[in-house]
Amino acid sequence: MDDDTLRDADDQDLLARHVKGDPDAFGELVRRHRDRLWAVALRTLGDREEAADAVQDALVSAYRAAHTFRGQSAVTTWLHRITVNACLDRARKAASRKTSPVDDTERLDQLLEPHESAEAPAERQDLHRELLAALRTLPAEQRAALVLVDMQGYPVAEAARVLDVPTGTVKSRCARGRARLLPLLTHLRTGTRGSDDSGGGRNRRPGTSVPPATEPRDAGPNGPAAVKGGGGRT
């Protein structure tokens, strides 16, 4: 099947073609969605190697479990759910090994994109470092909810579908996560404008939510067994 035909197909059609044996269909799905999957994994785990392994695990699982997809949610929601579950599994294993948080400057610098590190003002770099370090202290479930809602900009209802929990659980995890972050980030709120926004589908709260970071630029292979990061956005 030619590339144009694959690019014109929707996600559900691509998944169905993969199940029927099309050797290129799943690679096209990976190309479309790996950036956001990688961003979620990186921000949830705070470590590039762990995030890359989680994305790889998730894509292998999705590749093998494609025949179980029943169309009850969007394919992208299904992929994000598998990725978040892979991240939470790794975070729980790390916690059981009592792995220390990623808090040294060199490792946190890796979470900022090279173009941002080179071009952004020093104050912005410092802000990102402090936000990421604070986020890393949260329990994995709260961190995943905040990454989806506050960093990726998902509506609460969509985040609930990704996490496979009720919307009230997402709201509760976000609220508890923000409450835990607030004492760590109070010194960053000086000069913020506006009041807390309790409405809106994205559950944004200026001053306490984590702003979005730039998507990773480095491209990786299309295959599910070799993805080690995000690729270029199309």
Side-chain angles (χ1 to χ4, degrees):
M1 185 172 298
D2 60 62
D3 291 344
D4 289 341
T5 303
L6 284 176
R7 291 194 180 98
D8 290 340
D10 62 29
D11 288 349
Q12 194 161 336
D13 187 27
L14 285 172
L15 200 61
R17 293 181 186 187
H18 163 65
V19 172
K20 291 178 181 178
D22 188 321
D24 301 316
F26 195 82
E28 174 64 17
L29 274 176
V30 172
R31 186 191 66 80
R32 288 182 185 182
H33 299 293
R34 62 187 171 190
D35 281 0
R36 288 180 69 83
L37 299 179
W38 165 249
V40 167
L42 180 60
R43 293 163 188 170
T44 300
L45 292 170
D47 180 276
R48 282 187 177 272
E49 287 299 319
E50 285 288 303
D53 288 342
V55 172
Q56 179 171 306
D57 290 347
L59 290 176
V60 170
S61 295
Y63 184 93
R64 294 172 175 170
H67 66 283
T68 67
F69 180 76
R70 295 291 179 262
Q72 296 175 337
S73 63
V75 172
T76 184
T77 300
W78 179 71
L79 289 172
H80 275 72
R81 181 183 302 147
I82 294 172
T83 302
V84 168
N85 285 338
C87 291
L88 293 179
D89 285 344
R90 286 186 170 272
R92 293 185 190 106
K93 289 176 183 177
S96 69
R97 295 193 301 266
K98 301 185 184 299
T99 302
S100 60
V102 179
D103 58 2
D104 58 281
T105 301
E106 182 178 356
R107 295 291 291 281
L108 286 173
D109 277 341
Q110 295 175 5
L111 300 183
L112 299 174
E113 290 310 296
H115 66 281
E116 182 173 358
S117 297
E119 298 171 5
E123 294 83 359
R124 180 168 174 79
Q125 294 181 42
D126 291 342
L127 174 64
H128 273 281
R129 291 190 190 100
E130 293 193 55
L131 290 171
L132 290 166
L135 187 67
R136 188 64 178 80
T137 67
L138 298 179
E141 288 80 4
Q142 292 177 17
R143 197 186 319 152
L146 280 176
V147 165
L148 289 172
V149 175
D150 282 356
M151 298 185 78
Q152 294 299 108
Y154 277 86
V156 170
E158 180 68 10
R161 286 190 288 272
V162 169
L163 297 171
D164 199 21
V165 296
T167 56
T169 300
V170 175
K171 291 179 180 179
S172 176
R173 288 177 182 177
C174 286
R176 291 200 303 270
R178 293 188 190 109
R180 293 183 66 154
L181 286 178
L182 187 58
L184 303 176
L185 303 177
T186 299
H187 64 290
L188 302 178
R189 301 183 70 197
T190 304
T192 56
R193 293 175 298 176
S195 57
D196 285 355
D197 179 8
S198 58
R202 294 190 177 184
N203 207 22
R204 297 276 186 180
R205 295 181 63 195
T208 60
S209 61
V210 184
T214 306
E215 296 286 350
R217 281 186 172 182
D218 20 339
N222 286 341
V227 173
K228 300 297 285 183
R233 186 169 298 279
T234 59

mmCIF file of all heavy atoms in Angstrom, residues 108 111-112 116 120 123-133 151 210-214:
data_model
loop_
_atom_site.group_PDB
_atom_site.id
_atom_site.type_symbol
_atom_site.label_atom_id
_atom_site.label_comp_id
_atom_site.label_asym_id
_atom_site.label_seq_id
_atom_site.Cartn_x
_atom_site.Cartn_y
_atom_site.Cartn_z
ATOM 1 N N LEU A 108 17.994 17.245 34.972
ATOM 2 C CA LEU A 108 16.837 18.088 34.679
ATOM 3 C C LEU A 108 17.056 18.896 33.407
ATOM 4 O O LEU A 108 16.106 19.178 32.676
ATOM 5 C CB LEU A 108 16.548 19.023 35.858
ATOM 6 C CG LEU A 108 15.920 18.325 37.062
ATOM 7 C CD1 LEU A 108 15.830 19.305 38.228
ATOM 8 C CD2 LEU A 108 14.543 17.789 36.732
ATOM 9 N N LEU A 111 15.598 17.445 30.335
ATOM 10 C CA LEU A 111 14.166 17.524 30.103
ATOM 11 C C LEU A 111 13.783 18.778 29.323
ATOM 12 O O LEU A 111 12.660 18.900 28.864
ATOM 13 C CB LEU A 111 13.410 17.510 31.442
ATOM 14 C CG LEU A 111 13.630 16.269 32.297
ATOM 15 C CD1 LEU A 111 12.769 16.356 33.543
ATOM 16 C CD2 LEU A 111 13.303 15.005 31.526
ATOM 17 N N LEU A 112 14.711 19.712 29.188
ATOM 18 C CA LEU A 112 14.479 20.889 28.369
ATOM 19 C C LEU A 112 15.055 20.613 26.986
ATOM 20 O O LEU A 112 16.122 20.045 26.850
ATOM 21 C CB LEU A 112 15.173 22.117 28.972
ATOM 22 C CG LEU A 112 14.701 22.506 30.372
ATOM 23 C CD1 LEU A 112 15.576 23.634 30.900
ATOM 24 C CD2 LEU A 112 13.251 22.935 30.348
ATOM 25 N N GLU A 116 15.420 25.085 23.322
ATOM 26 C CA GLU A 116 14.920 25.924 24.401
ATOM 27 C C GLU A 116 16.052 26.296 25.351
ATOM 28 O O GLU A 116 16.159 27.422 25.813
ATOM 29 C CB GLU A 116 13.808 25.204 25.167
ATOM 30 C CG GLU A 116 13.219 26.059 26.272
ATOM 31 C CD GLU A 116 12.011 25.411 26.925
ATOM 32 O OE1 GLU A 116 11.611 24.325 26.506
ATOM 33 O OE2 GLU A 116 11.484 26.032 27.875
ATOM 34 N N ALA A 120 16.071 30.153 25.349
ATOM 35 C CA ALA A 120 15.169 30.697 26.356
ATOM 36 C C ALA A 120 15.945 31.495 27.391
ATOM 37 O O ALA A 120 17.102 31.196 27.680
ATOM 38 C CB ALA A 120 14.403 29.560 27.044
ATOM 39 N N GLU A 123 15.855 32.779 33.248
ATOM 40 C CA GLU A 123 14.782 32.676 34.226
ATOM 41 C C GLU A 123 13.800 31.569 33.845
ATOM 42 O O GLU A 123 13.299 30.847 34.712
ATOM 43 C CB GLU A 123 14.032 34.009 34.336
ATOM 44 C CG GLU A 123 14.863 35.147 34.913
ATOM 45 C CD GLU A 123 15.745 35.817 33.862
ATOM 46 O OE1 GLU A 123 15.720 35.368 32.696
ATOM 47 O OE2 GLU A 123 16.451 36.769 34.217
ATOM 48 N N ARG A 124 13.525 31.447 32.543
ATOM 49 C CA ARG A 124 12.585 30.417 32.107
ATOM 50 C C ARG A 124 13.173 29.022 32.322
ATOM 51 O O ARG A 124 12.476 28.098 32.713
ATOM 52 C CB ARG A 124 12.220 30.627 30.630
ATOM 53 C CG ARG A 124 11.247 29.586 30.101
ATOM 54 C CD ARG A 124 10.695 29.978 28.745
ATOM 55 N NE ARG A 124 9.877 28.921 28.177
ATOM 56 C CZ ARG A 124 8.632 28.668 28.520
ATOM 57 N NH1 ARG A 124 8.047 29.412 29.457
ATOM 58 N NH2 ARG A 124 7.947 27.692 27.950
ATOM 59 N N GLN A 125 14.453 28.864 32.048
ATOM 60 C CA GLN A 125 15.098 27.588 32.283
ATOM 61 C C GLN A 125 15.034 27.209 33.760
ATOM 62 O O GLN A 125 14.743 26.068 34.116
ATOM 63 C CB GLN A 125 16.551 27.639 31.815
ATOM 64 C CG GLN A 125 16.715 27.806 30.309
ATOM 65 C CD GLN A 125 18.173 27.820 29.909
ATOM 66 O OE1 GLN A 125 18.963 27.034 30.408
ATOM 67 N NE2 GLN A 125 18.535 28.732 29.019
ATOM 68 N N ASP A 126 15.324 28.186 34.627
ATOM 69 C CA ASP A 126 15.260 27.923 36.062
ATOM 70 C C ASP A 126 13.851 27.543 36.489
ATOM 71 O O ASP A 126 13.663 26.646 37.320
ATOM 72 C CB ASP A 126 15.717 29.163 36.847
ATOM 73 C CG ASP A 126 17.204 29.431 36.676
ATOM 74 O OD1 ASP A 126 17.929 28.490 36.260
ATOM 75 O OD2 ASP A 126 17.639 30.558 36.942
ATOM 76 N N LEU A 127 12.848 28.220 35.909
ATOM 77 C CA LEU A 127 11.454 27.923 36.232
ATOM 78 C C LEU A 127 11.114 26.482 35.861
ATOM 79 O O LEU A 127 10.522 25.747 36.646
ATOM 80 C CB LEU A 127 10.537 28.897 35.488
ATOM 81 C CG LEU A 127 9.027 28.637 35.598
ATOM 82 C CD1 LEU A 127 8.567 28.802 37.042
ATOM 83 C CD2 LEU A 127 8.264 29.571 34.687
ATOM 84 N N HIS A 128 11.508 26.081 34.655
ATOM 85 C CA HIS A 128 11.231 24.718 34.223
ATOM 86 C C HIS A 128 11.902 23.698 35.137
ATOM 87 O O HIS A 128 11.320 22.671 35.479
ATOM 88 C CB HIS A 128 11.695 24.511 32.781
ATOM 89 C CG HIS A 128 10.663 24.895 31.767
ATOM 90 N ND1 HIS A 128 9.608 24.089 31.443
ATOM 91 C CD2 HIS A 128 10.515 26.019 31.019
ATOM 92 C CE1 HIS A 128 8.864 24.674 30.525
ATOM 93 N NE2 HIS A 128 9.385 25.857 30.257
ATOM 94 N N ARG A 129 13.136 23.960 35.515
ATOM 95 C CA ARG A 129 13.844 23.021 36.386
ATOM 96 C C ARG A 129 13.106 22.843 37.712
ATOM 97 O O ARG A 129 12.935 21.729 38.201
ATOM 98 C CB ARG A 129 15.267 23.517 36.639
ATOM 99 C CG ARG A 129 16.174 23.477 35.418
ATOM 100 C CD ARG A 129 17.620 23.745 35.803
ATOM 101 N NE ARG A 129 18.437 23.946 34.624
ATOM 102 C CZ ARG A 129 18.810 25.127 34.150
ATOM 103 N NH1 ARG A 129 18.427 26.233 34.764
ATOM 104 N NH2 ARG A 129 19.559 25.223 33.070
ATOM 105 N N GLU A 130 12.677 23.958 38.293
ATOM 106 C CA GLU A 130 12.002 23.879 39.583
ATOM 107 C C GLU A 130 10.639 23.195 39.466
ATOM 108 O O GLU A 130 10.247 22.412 40.332
ATOM 109 C CB GLU A 130 11.857 25.284 40.172
ATOM 110 C CG GLU A 130 13.191 25.913 40.550
ATOM 111 C CD GLU A 130 13.011 27.143 41.419
ATOM 112 O OE1 GLU A 130 12.359 27.046 42.481
ATOM 113 O OE2 GLU A 130 13.508 28.213 41.033
ATOM 114 N N LEU A 131 9.915 23.498 38.390
ATOM 115 C CA LEU A 131 8.616 22.867 38.177
ATOM 116 C C LEU A 131 8.753 21.364 37.988
ATOM 117 O O LEU A 131 7.997 20.574 38.566
ATOM 118 C CB LEU A 131 7.920 23.486 36.963
ATOM 119 C CG LEU A 131 7.412 24.919 37.114
ATOM 120 C CD1 LEU A 131 6.958 25.465 35.768
ATOM 121 C CD2 LEU A 131 6.276 24.984 38.117
ATOM 122 N N LEU A 132 9.718 20.952 37.182
ATOM 123 C CA LEU A 132 9.906 19.529 36.922
ATOM 124 C C LEU A 132 10.380 18.792 38.164
ATOM 125 O O LEU A 132 9.953 17.662 38.438
ATOM 126 C CB LEU A 132 10.892 19.337 35.772
ATOM 127 C CG LEU A 132 10.362 19.742 34.395
ATOM 128 C CD1 LEU A 132 11.501 19.846 33.384
ATOM 129 C CD2 LEU A 132 9.318 18.752 33.913
ATOM 130 N N ALA A 133 11.254 19.429 38.925
ATOM 131 C CA ALA A 133 11.714 18.801 40.154
ATOM 132 C C ALA A 133 10.556 18.634 41.144
ATOM 133 O O ALA A 133 10.426 17.597 41.803
ATOM 134 C CB ALA A 133 12.827 19.640 40.787
ATOM 135 N N MET A 151 -0.310 19.866 31.633
ATOM 136 C CA MET A 151 0.806 20.012 30.709
ATOM 137 C C MET A 151 0.422 19.679 29.271
ATOM 138 O O MET A 151 0.831 20.357 28.342
ATOM 139 C CB MET A 151 1.985 19.141 31.159
ATOM 140 C CG MET A 151 2.533 19.534 32.514
ATOM 141 S SD MET A 151 4.015 18.609 32.978
ATOM 142 C CE MET A 151 5.241 19.456 31.984
ATOM 143 N N VAL A 210 1.199 23.361 35.948
ATOM 144 C CA VAL A 210 2.492 23.300 35.295
ATOM 145 C C VAL A 210 2.330 23.666 33.833
ATOM 146 O O VAL A 210 1.539 23.037 33.141
ATOM 147 C CB VAL A 210 3.074 21.878 35.416
ATOM 148 C CG1 VAL A 210 4.469 21.843 34.815
ATOM 149 C CG2 VAL A 210 3.116 21.455 36.876
ATOM 150 N N PRO A 211 3.044 24.659 33.329
ATOM 151 C CA PRO A 211 2.871 25.070 31.935
ATOM 152 C C PRO A 211 3.422 24.018 30.990
ATOM 153 O O PRO A 211 4.301 23.245 31.356
ATOM 154 C CB PRO A 211 3.694 26.363 31.842
ATOM 155 C CG PRO A 211 4.724 26.223 32.907
ATOM 156 C CD PRO A 211 4.063 25.460 34.015
ATOM 157 N N PRO A 212 2.897 23.978 29.746
ATOM 158 C CA PRO A 212 3.381 22.984 28.792
ATOM 159 C C PRO A 212 4.808 23.256 28.383
ATOM 160 O O PRO A 212 5.235 24.397 28.288
ATOM 161 C CB PRO A 212 2.423 23.145 27.593
ATOM 162 C CG PRO A 212 1.910 24.541 27.712
ATOM 163 C CD PRO A 212 1.852 24.835 29.184
ATOM 164 N N ALA A 213 5.544 22.177 28.160
ATOM 165 C CA ALA A 213 6.900 22.286 27.651
ATOM 166 C C ALA A 213 6.906 21.960 26.171
ATOM 167 O O ALA A 213 5.921 21.497 25.626
ATOM 168 C CB ALA A 213 7.828 21.330 28.408
ATOM 169 N N THR A 214 8.032 22.202 25.519
ATOM 170 C CA THR A 214 8.138 21.967 24.092
ATOM 171 C C THR A 214 8.221 20.481 23.804
ATOM 172 O O THR A 214 8.855 19.736 24.524
ATOM 173 C CB THR A 214 9.408 22.656 23.546
ATOM 174 O OG1 THR A 214 9.367 24.017 23.929
ATOM 175 C CG2 THR A 214 9.475 22.542 22.035
#
